[in-house]
């Protein structure tokens, strides 16, 4: 969701296939449905509309700042970071201190002189009014987007539930962005970011992490999380790459199913007090902006939408996700919040999904303020609700209730649509058991923040950090003097990333003090006497995420004289959403100059990349003896790195996206075969080559694996077959290791240009030295189908190649099949 600081500053309050007969995504529970109908039958129109509104907790209280005196230069820096126009910036700077605090004080930004303390106080009278008069059905967020304690969450949510049950007899559904662990709950467990889970290729880690996050969320009395995220990250310019599982739809699909199982448990109709409801987001194609900038339009072929961008959401629906959050932007000129085709037909009708759809942050407003498909807010509400939106995240205003009631009374929104939306919201609340037990926490939640959970986070970090290059320097020999340099060497913010204690992951150092930075972790592992810290380049925490202080590269070069090896920790500071936009994909010039200067010392360099998206490093990669990409590994990421560098753990992560070499070659691994063209006979050289730094699925280990005996149980098949694929994998090295085994397919000739290759399945195995295991994949032949030019799923007769490792096998489809259903 978007914390639109700029809005606060400015004071601004398909595919033509026929439906198929599909079983409900979640089996129908007659007793539960009877309760829903009984509750719905007694509700007034005001109560129904109130259930469809979600408000931000901030409007129900006030943030006070002790010893508050505004530093106008800090204000200017904050406004620049969030993209406020210069004219509005100057106008705000002319205001009084109190006026500036009123505009910005609820946000987790430092605009003050000297030491201050922020205290948020819930206004019970305001809460009383919002629930008794406006019947508000959902509340979200942390005050000032800063993590609260378990006790605070217990106090606030219990009071909200007390008022909700008193005035409307329906519990609130409280939601938090617990995106990689309990983001907004102090003292809980933060896991590596989702992109790391993608790199692990281990769905069991995803399930376990989600289960722990659910447990700790319920300890804080929160029943609903805005997760998982399955926005395919196929453009490295986009600032939210790290929030998903990478560029591939199958990886995202398998991970989202695993996380939904972990979050919600085994029975989505009856979710117990240790599990939560999910909001899979952002439905769909949010991660494909044409410009690379957040919340800007996507332009995609119908085939790309149906085959790739829709696939993880389809699997999430079939896995029983209780809710979904909708893409803020537009696809092919159609805002998702306005699309009946995508919201109602594709999701609710074609898949028989009975969960509810919630907007992202104030996104109904965007239909008139940004997208210009509505003339005003009332018109925007009409469009969105009729398209299929069930709940409006309208964080600061109850105007939604007033306008929607007018629309119903005018006949512009039918009562049937209101009842459908409310029925879906009630269904989620009943499935979560909130009517019987509105509050959770206390006894039974003693594992909150436990060592057991910390070990799970550490394991995930170890399995997700990727060895990309190693010319024999790793594992590091003990007793060497190490120069640790670079801006990411001694800062927790870089390791845990955005959505960590605060929205941007900044201004939260006091909440992560007990965890180890890379410097601290290496000191513990190799001895403090062997670590020389001289960063050379550091981030300017008073500026934008990319702001750096004037470099002190000479100090790092001088310090290298005393070192045997150099570890350069480079990359990005934390960010998310629009503030994370960039204009240059190259890693900062300061950081690259630091590496170039250190290379001249003649000491071997290990590059440690700590970044949320692949930043270009083609000019410095050749200077490194080893390269490790740790992505954004969470609070135990430094400890995991130390274990891996020392050889106490083995690398097993693989790239979840294609790492580009140059800005004009931002390909994904599944590019069309005609994107890579050699020469035209008798004419000229096209030179249309796919240029990359490292391919999707690439990653090294301290051991070696040999693939052999790739076989299928049939060489010819038809659409109804399931092809059994087996491959023997042997650990041929001297170290135990884990290996992600990836199954690809290639369609050699098709009626539309085929993809170079497509990932079809994957698994992860552990092998001792000399051990061999046979991996078996069950591949439904229909998975080899594609969406044709006519918009229909098609499996064509002809030759296919299956590939695992460097082994390939040919198979033949004997008969073409074309489906008339939108999903197969």
């Amino acid at each position: 969701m978007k914390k639109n600081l700029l809005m606060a500053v400015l004071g601004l309050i398909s595919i033509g296939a026929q439906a198929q007969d599909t079983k409900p995504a979640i089996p129908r529970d007659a007793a539960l449905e009877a309760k829903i109908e009984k509750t719905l039958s007694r509700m007034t129109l005001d109560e129904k509309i109130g259930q469809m509104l979600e408000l931000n907790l901030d409007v129900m209280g006030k943030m006070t700042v002790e010893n508050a005196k505004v530093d106008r230069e800090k204000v200017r820096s904050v406004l620049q970071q969030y993209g406020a126009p210069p004219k509005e910036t100057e106008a705000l700077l002319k205001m009084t201190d109190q006026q500036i605090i009123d505009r910005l004080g609820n946000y987790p930004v430092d605009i003050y002189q000297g030491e201050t303390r922020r205290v948020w106080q819930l206004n019970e009278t305001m809460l009383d009014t919002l629930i008794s008069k406006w019947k508000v059905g959902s509340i979200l967020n942390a005050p000032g987007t800063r993590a609260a304690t378990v006790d605070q969450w217990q106090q606030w949510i219990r009071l909200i539930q007390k008022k909700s049950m008193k005035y409307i007899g329906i519990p609130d559904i409280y939601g938090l962005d617990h995106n990689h662990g309990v983001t907004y709950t102090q003292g809980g467990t933060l896991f590596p970011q989702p992109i790391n889970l993608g790199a692990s290729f281990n769905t069991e880690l995803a399930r376990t992490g989600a289960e722990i996050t659910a447990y700790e969320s319920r300890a804080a009395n929160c029943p609903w999380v805005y997760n998982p995220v399955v926005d395919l990250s196929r453009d490295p310019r986009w600032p939210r790459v790290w929030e998903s599982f990478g560029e591939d739809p199958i990886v995202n699909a398998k991970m989202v199913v695993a996380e939904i199982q972990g979050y919600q448990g085994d029975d989505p109709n009856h979710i117990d007090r240790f599990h939560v409801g999910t909001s899979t987001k952002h439905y769909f194609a949010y991660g494909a902006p044409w410009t690379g900038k957040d919340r800007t339009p996507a332009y995609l072929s119908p085939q790309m939408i149906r085959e790739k961008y829709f696939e993880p959401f389809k699997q999430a629906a079939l896995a029983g996700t209780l809710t979904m959050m909708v893409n803020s932007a537009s696809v092919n000129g159609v805002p998702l919040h306005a699309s009946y085709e995508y919201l109602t037909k594709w999701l609710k009708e074609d898949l028989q999904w009975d969960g509810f759809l919630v907007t992202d942050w104030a996104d109904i407003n965007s239909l008139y303020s940004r997208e210009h498909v509505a003339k005003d807010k009332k018109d925007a509400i009409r469009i969105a609700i009729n398209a299929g939106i069930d709940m409006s995240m309208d964080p600061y205003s109850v105007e939604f209730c007033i306008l929607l009631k007018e629309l119903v009374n005018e006949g512009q929104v039918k009562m049937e649509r209101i009842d459908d939306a409310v029925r879906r919201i009630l269904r989620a609340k009943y499935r979560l058991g909130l009517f019987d037990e509105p509050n959770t926490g206390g006894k039974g939640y003693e594992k909150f923040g436990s060592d057991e959970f910390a070990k799970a986070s550490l394991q995930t970090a170890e399995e997700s950090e990727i060895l990309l290059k190693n010319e024999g320097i790793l594992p590091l020999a003990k007793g060497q003097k190490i120069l640790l340099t670079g801006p990411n060497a001694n800062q927790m913010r870089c390791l845990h990333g955005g959505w960590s204690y605060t929205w941007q992951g900044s201004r939260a150092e006091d909440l992560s003090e007990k965890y180890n930075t890379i410097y601290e972790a290496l000191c513990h592992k190799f001895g403090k006497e062997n670590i020389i810290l001289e960063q050379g380049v550091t981030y300017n925490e008073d500026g934008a995420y990319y702001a750096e202080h004037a470099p002190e590269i000479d100090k790092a070069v001088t310090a290298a004289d005393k070192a045997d090896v150099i570890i350069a920790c480079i990359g990005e500071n934390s960010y998310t959403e629009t503030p994370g936009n960039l204009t240059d994909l190259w890693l900062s010039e300061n950081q690259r100059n630091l590496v170039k200067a250190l290379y001249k010392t003649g000491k071997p360099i290990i590059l440690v990349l700590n970044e949320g998206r692949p930043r270009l490093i083609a000019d410095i990669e050749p200077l490194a003896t080893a390269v490790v990409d740790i992505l954004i590994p969470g609070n135990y990421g430094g400890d995991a790195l130390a274990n891996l560098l020392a050889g106490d753990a083995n690398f097993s992560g693989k790239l979840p996206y294609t790492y580009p070499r140059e800005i004009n070659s931002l390909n994904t691994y599944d590019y069309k075969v005609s994107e890579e063209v050699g020469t035209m006979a008798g004419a000229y050289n096209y030179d249309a080559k796919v240029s990359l730094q490292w391919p999707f699925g690439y990653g090294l280990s301290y051991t070696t694996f040999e693939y052999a005996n790739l076989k299928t149980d049939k060489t010819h098949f038809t659409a109804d077959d399931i092809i059994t694929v087996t491959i023997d994998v042997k650990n041929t090295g001297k170290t135990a290791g884990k290996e992600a085994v990836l199954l690809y397919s290639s369609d050699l000739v098709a009626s539309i240009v085929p993809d170079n290759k497509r990932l079809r399945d994957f698994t992860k195995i552990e092998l001792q030295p000399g051990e061999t295991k046979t991996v078996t994949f069950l591949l439904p032949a229909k998975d080899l189908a594609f969406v044709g030019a006519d918009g229909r799923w098609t499996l064509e007769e002809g030759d296919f190649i299956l590939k695992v490792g460097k082994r390939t096998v040919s198979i033949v489809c004997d008969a073409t099949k074309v489906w008339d259903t939108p999903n197969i």
Side-chain angles (χ1 to χ4, degrees):
M1 290 161 319
K2 185 177 183 180
K3 296 286 156 291
N4 197 332
L5 180 61
L6 179 56
M7 296 286 280
V9 170
L10 301 182
L12 301 176
I13 304 288
S14 112
I15 293 174
Q18 60 194 24
Q20 65 192 87
D21 191 14
T22 306
K23 292 182 180 179
I26 302 176
R28 184 178 176 83
D29 184 302
L32 186 146
E33 294 298 323
K35 292 178 182 178
I36 294 168
E37 295 305 321
K38 184 176 180 180
T39 302
L40 186 68
S41 68
R42 66 169 174 78
M43 294 174 68
T44 66
L45 178 58
D46 287 340
E47 289 173 335
K48 290 176 180 178
I49 289 174
Q51 286 296 300
M52 297 172 67
L53 175 63
E54 183 174 41
L55 285 177
N56 181 12
L57 184 62
D58 274 336
V59 303
M60 298 159 209
K62 183 174 179 60
M63 186 77 73
T64 58
V65 183
E66 298 175 359
N67 305 319
K69 184 173 176 59
V70 171
D71 182 328
R72 278 169 165 70
E73 285 306 308
K74 287 185 177 181
V75 171
R76 186 186 299 277
S77 174
V78 165
L79 297 180
Q80 178 185 9
Q81 176 181 353
Y82 287 87
K87 184 177 180 180
E88 280 76 15
T89 296
E90 295 307 317
L92 188 70
L93 290 171
K94 293 177 182 177
M95 295 181 182
T96 66
D97 279 13
Q98 190 56 52
Q99 287 173 321
I100 294 174
I101 292 170
D102 288 343
R103 294 291 181 91
L104 305 182
N106 264 350
Y107 292 87
V109 292
D110 181 10
I111 58 173
Y112 305 106
Q113 297 179 19
E115 293 294 324
T116 61
R117 191 169 78 95
R118 296 159 61 89
V119 179
W120 188 82
Q121 185 66 44
L122 179 66
N123 183 333
E124 189 169 344
T125 301
M126 176 63 78
L127 175 64
D128 217 70
T129 300
L130 289 169
I131 295 179
S132 64
K133 181 177 181 179
W134 298 105
K135 321 298 182 186
V136 176
S138 181
I139 300 171
L140 82 154
N141 216 23
T145 75
R146 181 179 168 86
T149 66
V150 170
D151 288 343
Q152 286 173 318
W153 283 126
Q154 284 288 340
Q155 176 189 344
W156 297 334
I157 296 178
R158 281 181 181 275
L159 185 59
I160 290 167
Q161 296 292 29
K162 179 181 177 182
K163 303 288 186 184
S164 295
M165 298 305 292
K166 174 182 178 182
Y167 290 116
I168 52 181
I170 298 172
D172 175 85
I173 182 168
Y174 202 99
L176 285 172
D177 283 287
H178 280 174
N179 289 352
H180 65 117
V182 283
T183 299
Y184 282 143
T185 303
Q186 295 181 27
T189 308
L190 286 189
F191 284 85
Q193 294 283 0
I195 197 66
N196 287 71
L197 282 171
S200 77
F201 285 89
N202 188 338
T203 56
E204 183 59 25
L205 294 178
R207 189 200 62 77
T208 298
E211 191 169 42
I212 290 170
T213 301
Y215 176 100
E216 294 194 334
S217 296
R218 285 289 212 166
N221 207 7
C222 174
W224 187 31
V225 298
Y226 306 122
N227 206 244
V229 179
V230 286
D231 302 311
L232 300 191
S233 298
R234 297 169 70 83
D235 187 336
R237 300 172 301 165
W238 188 51
R240 305 188 74 170
V241 165
W242 49 273
E243 293 188 54
S244 85
F245 304 109
E247 72 183 44
D248 180 71
I250 298 303
V251 174
N252 277 266
K254 292 190 69 171
M255 289 291 179
V256 77
V257 170
E259 284 206 337
I260 289 168
Q261 291 171 344
Y263 278 126
Q264 295 188 170
D266 297 328
D267 183 359
N269 267 319
H270 306 92
I271 296 173
D272 66 32
R273 64 197 306 270
F274 298 107
H275 292 86
V276 296
T278 55
S279 188
T280 303
K281 61 185 185 184
H282 305 82
Y283 180 79
F284 54 72
Y286 176 44
W290 182 259
T291 65
K293 306 291 174 129
D294 186 43
R295 286 174 167 80
T296 58
Y299 304 98
L300 298 165
S301 71
Q303 291 85 1
M304 181 77 78
I305 293 171
R306 179 66 81 172
E307 280 188 35
K308 296 177 182 178
Y309 287 93
F310 180 62
E311 177 65 20
F313 291 97
K314 180 181 82 173
Q315 296 304 327
L318 296 176
T321 185
L322 252 58
T323 75
M324 289 197 194
M325 187 181 293
V326 179
N327 174 5
S328 298
S330 64
V331 176
N332 297 334
V334 180
L336 266 293
H337 284 76
S339 176
Y340 180 89
E341 174 79 6
Y342 292 148
L343 301 185
T344 298
K345 189 174 187 308
W346 282 35
L347 189 57
K348 295 179 177 181
E349 294 179 358
D350 290 349
L351 295 179
Q352 291 294 293
W353 179 69
D354 63 5
F356 74 79
L357 289 170
V358 60
T359 77
D360 207 334
W361 192 265
D363 271 344
I364 286 181
N365 295 347
S366 297
L367 294 181
Y368 71 91
S369 66
R370 185 182 68 213
E371 306 293 353
H372 299 284
V373 298
K375 61 184 179 181
D376 54 27
K377 182 165 184 172
K378 184 175 180 178
D379 194 35
I381 293 171
R382 176 188 63 81
I383 292 170
I385 300 303
N386 285 334
I389 292 295
D390 302 305
M391 180 182 286
S392 175
M393 188 188 294
D394 202 343
Y396 296 118
S397 170
V398 296
E399 189 180 15
F400 170 87
C401 295
I402 299 169
L403 296 176
L404 181 54
K405 185 175 182 180
E406 290 179 5
L407 289 165
V408 174
N409 289 333
E410 294 165 3
Q412 295 191 64
V413 175
K414 295 185 181 299
M415 200 63 214
E416 290 83 1
R417 173 76 271 267
I418 298 296
D419 284 346
D420 174 61
V422 176
R423 189 177 284 114
R424 291 170 180 273
I425 294 166
L426 293 175
R427 184 176 290 118
K429 293 182 178 185
Y430 273 111
R431 283 172 168 166
L432 284 165
L434 296 177
F435 281 86
D436 297 325
E437 190 177 11
N439 299 291
T440 56
K443 187 177 181 181
Y445 294 88
E446 290 79 13
K447 289 185 179 182
F448 179 90
S450 65
D451 289 344
E452 176 186 337
F453 293 171
K455 289 177 182 177
S457 181
L458 175 63
Q459 181 188 350
T460 305
E462 288 178 348
E463 288 201 31
S464 66
E465 298 184 3
I466 311 163
L467 181 61
L468 295 173
K469 182 178 182 179
N470 184 19
E471 296 179 352
I473 195 171
L474 296 177
L476 279 174
K478 295 292 178 68
Q480 294 187 91
K481 293 287 185 182
I482 299 169
L483 169 62
L484 187 65
T485 187
N488 297 53
N490 195 28
Q491 186 186 41
M492 284 306 305
R493 175 182 170 185
C494 303
L495 292 177
H496 56 56
W499 298 115
S500 301
Y501 307 117
T502 66
W503 173 42
Q504 292 293 310
S506 59
R507 310 293 174 194
E509 289 80 1
D510 59 312
L511 300 181
S512 58
E513 287 180 345
K514 77 173 190 176
Y515 306 104
N516 292 322
T517 66
I518 292 174
Y519 169 66
E520 291 164 340
L522 293 187
C523 286
H524 291 316
K525 180 64 64 173
F526 296 100
K528 189 173 183 179
E529 69 280 4
N530 291 319
I531 309 297
I532 306 163
L533 178 66
E534 190 60 64
Q535 292 183 253
V537 177
T538 55
Y539 295 116
N540 180 358
E541 293 297 324
D542 291 328
Y545 76 94
Y546 50 79
E548 296 170 349
H549 292 293
E552 297 179 317
I553 294 174
D554 289 345
K555 289 185 178 181
V557 170
T558 300
D561 289 340
K562 302 175 183 178
D564 300 308
V565 63
I566 299 167
I567 299 178
C569 300
I570 58 179
E572 298 181 310
N573 212 346
S574 71
Y575 57 83
T576 190
E577 301 190 76
T578 300
N581 284 344
L582 49 64
T583 56
D584 186 356
L585 195 56
W586 280 95
L587 189 67
S588 83
E589 186 175 7
N590 285 340
Q591 295 187 51
R592 286 163 34 233
N593 285 342
L594 171 66
V595 174
K596 291 172 184 176
L598 289 169
Y599 175 72
K600 294 177 182 177
T601 68
K603 303 296 176 68
I605 298 174
I606 300 168
L607 292 184
V608 174
L609 308 177
N610 174 199
E611 52 192 12
R613 54 193 156 197
R615 301 297 295 269
L616 301 181
I617 57 167
D619 57 341
I620 60 172
E621 180 274 328
L623 312 182
T625 305
V627 181
V628 177
D629 191 348
I630 65 173
L631 305 170
I632 309 182
N635 282 341
Y636 298 96
D639 302 294
L641 177 63
N643 290 342
L644 290 162
L645 293 179
D648 295 335
N650 197 352
F651 286 97
S652 65
K654 294 180 183 288
L655 280 173
Y657 47 58
T658 303
Y659 203 117
R661 183 184 298 274
E662 56 194 29
I663 195 64
N664 288 336
S665 291
L666 301 184
N667 290 85
T668 52
Y669 84 92
D670 52 354
Y671 59 85
K672 295 294 183 181
V673 292
S674 52
E675 289 183 52
E676 188 164 36
V677 181
T679 60
M680 179 182 288
Y684 54 87
N685 183 2
Y686 274 108
D687 194 28
K689 294 291 184 181
V690 173
S691 176
L692 50 85
Q693 194 75 53
W694 293 286
F696 170 87
Y698 181 79
L700 303 174
S701 170
Y702 289 144
T703 191
T704 53
F705 298 96
E706 179 180 273
Y707 289 73
N709 300 319
L710 177 61
K711 298 177 181 178
T712 60
D713 67 335
K714 49 182 68 71
T715 58
H716 291 256
F717 66 93
T718 60
D720 296 328
D721 286 331
I722 295 177
I723 304 162
T724 301
V725 184
T726 58
I727 182 79
D728 293 338
V729 185
K730 181 178 181 179
N731 183 343
T732 55
K734 298 180 180 180
T735 304
K738 295 180 180 180
E739 173 74 344
V741 183
L742 313 182
L743 170 65
Y744 295 94
S745 73
S746 295
D747 191 346
L748 298 189
V749 178
S751 55
I752 63 172
V753 179
D755 291 342
N756 165 57
K757 62 180 179 179
R758 289 287 300 275
L759 184 69
R760 297 304 181 186
D761 204 350
F762 63 90
T763 190
K764 197 167 191 177
I765 59 174
E766 184 171 11
L767 295 169
Q768 298 301 312
E771 184 181 8
T772 299
K773 287 184 179 178
T774 299
V775 175
T776 300
F777 296 105
L778 299 178
L779 176 64
K782 64 183 179 60
D783 286 359
L784 301 176
F786 61 88
V787 176
D790 61 357
R792 296 192 295 174
W793 284 99
T794 303
L795 177 63
E796 293 178 338
E797 63 177 338
D799 296 333
F800 291 78
I801 289 178
L802 301 181
K803 182 177 182 180
V804 184
K806 295 181 179 179
R807 303 294 178 179
T808 62
V809 63
S810 297
I811 54 175
V812 179
C813 179
D814 289 334
T816 296
K817 180 171 181 177
V818 179
W819 284 263
D820 289 325
T821 52
N823 300 295
I824 61 173

